[in-house]
Amino acid sequence: MNETPHTTELRSEPVTVIGLGLMGQALAAAFLAAGHPTTVWNRSSGKAAELVAAGAVLAPSPDAAVRAGSLVVVCLSDAAAVHDVLGPHRDALAGRTLVNLTSGTSEEARELTALTTSYLDGAIMAVPEVIGRPEAFLLFSGEREAFDRHRAALQRLGTATYFGEDPGLAALYDVALLGLMWGTLNAFLHGAALLGSAKVDASAFAPFATRWVGSVTEFITAYAGQIDRGAYPPEDATVETHLATMKYLVRESAAAGIDTDWPARIQALAERALAAGHEGTSYASLIEVFRGRA
Ligand SMILES: NC(=O)c1ccc[n+]([C@@H]2O[C@H](COP(=O)([O-])OP(=O)(O)OC[C@H]3O[C@@H](n4cnc5c(N)ncnc54)[C@H](OP(=O)(O)O)[C@@H]3O)[C@@H](O)[C@H]2O)c1
């Protein structure tokens, strides 16, 4: 990249990272690699050694760490730890932007806005080793002006998306996306157990699983439109057709002697949709079950 006064200015924004667990270390390393003067603080100072060797400054206290950066990133175990560490340093935070990358609920994110006037909450949809690359995606919400002002620095961590002024929105996206991950992984693990009962290796199942997950993403896009319109025409298959096939999943699981709890729950959701009158509709009508209306 050609150096211009503009890029030099973007790189020179001083950044502070508080919390050097697995993720915090990766965040600080990405800022350093991008040329930001980076100050770090961690409860156990030994975790800063590699970063200091790479050029970071280890602050002697959270207060000193906060005062060193115009952008203060915090990444700790939970919201209670953020309150413990930063609660006593509101004066130091004044005039700086606090970006909380600690996982938590949307309510916890909204409560953390009490720490400072310029607050962004963020969620990291990535593991530490991909931080700093575009495939790491990070979700932000909170003060729009703060996001615009610090966008370039935040993009050093990965692809940054902003969802709006409600500071709780990034946390809500986070748990919704993690739920999608766990649902998908549980389904894969259940399928691997089922095929394993016939001596099929998980590695043999995996390519078919990933290909099928790709097809399922197309259903998501189609069903999102139906959900937003509030109409569930059975353009592909009805809930009844799904239910009939789900029963095979339950029967196969029982016959193989593997856990039937997961498929039985899937079947129960479809039965509740039908009991609520959604016969002849698409699978998307199960949204009414999840909304608690069925
Ligand atoms: N790792 C991932 O793949 C990943 C991915 C997405 C999001 N996240 C989120 O990132 C956050 C950090 O995760 P991590 O993997 O870095 O966890 P971690 O390795 O367990 O690190 C936890 C950090 O929190 C600090 N801490 C905990 N309680 C504290 C307290 N009361 N006062 C001061 N410091 C305290 C620890 O300090 P000490 O070193 O002194 O113990 C350490 O720096 C979590 O919210 C996690 O959900 C992680």
Side-chain angles (χ1 to χ4, degrees), residues 19 66 69 73 94 120 157 166 169 177 181 184 189 195 203 216 221 225 227 235 247 252 259 274 276 279:
V66 169
V73 173
L120 283 170
L157 304 176
D166 175 358
L169 217 42
L177 289 168
M181 176 184 77
T184 306
L189 295 172
L195 282 160
S203 304
V216 173
T221 306
I227 292 165
E235 285 155 2
K247 290 178 179 171
E252 289 282 16
D259 196 87
L274 290 177
E279 298 97 348

Side-chain angles (χ1 to χ4, degrees), residues 215-288:
S215 303
V216 173
T217 59
E218 291 169 24
F219 306 163
I220 289 177
T221 306
Y223 290 164
Q226 292 195 358
I227 292 165
D228 289 343
R229 288 190 293 277
Y232 317 113
E235 285 155 2
D236 45 10
T238 63
V239 177
E240 295 91 310
T241 302
H242 280 279
L243 179 60
T245 325
M246 285 168 183
K247 290 178 179 171
Y248 303 137
L249 185 64
V250 178
R251 279 166 55 190
E252 289 282 16
S253 302
I258 68 168
D259 196 87
T260 54
D261 183 60
W262 173 258
R265 278 169 193 263
I266 292 171
Q267 181 180 327
L269 289 168
E271 285 169 346
R272 280 169 61 193
L274 290 177
H278 292 294
E279 298 97 348
T281 63
S282 84
Y283 198 76
S285 65
L286 266 72
I287 184 76
E288 302 296 348

Side-chain angles (χ1 to χ4, degrees), residues 6 38 98 100 108-109 111 128 130 144-145 179 208 216 279 294:
H6 182 60
T38 305
L98 175 62
N100 173 43
E108 286 172 339
E111 283 167 3
V130 295
R144 178 180 300 275
E145 206 245 310
F208 294 92
V216 173
E279 298 97 348

Side-chain angles (χ1 to χ4, degrees), residues 19-24 41-44 47 75-77 81 84-85 101-103 124 126-128:
L20 301 177
L22 293 171
M23 186 52 84
W41 181 86
N42 193 59
R43 183 176 57 179
S44 334
K47 290 189 183 170
C75 187
L76 300 173
S77 298
D84 284 353
V85 172
L101 292 178
T102 306
S103 303
I124 304 169
V127 291

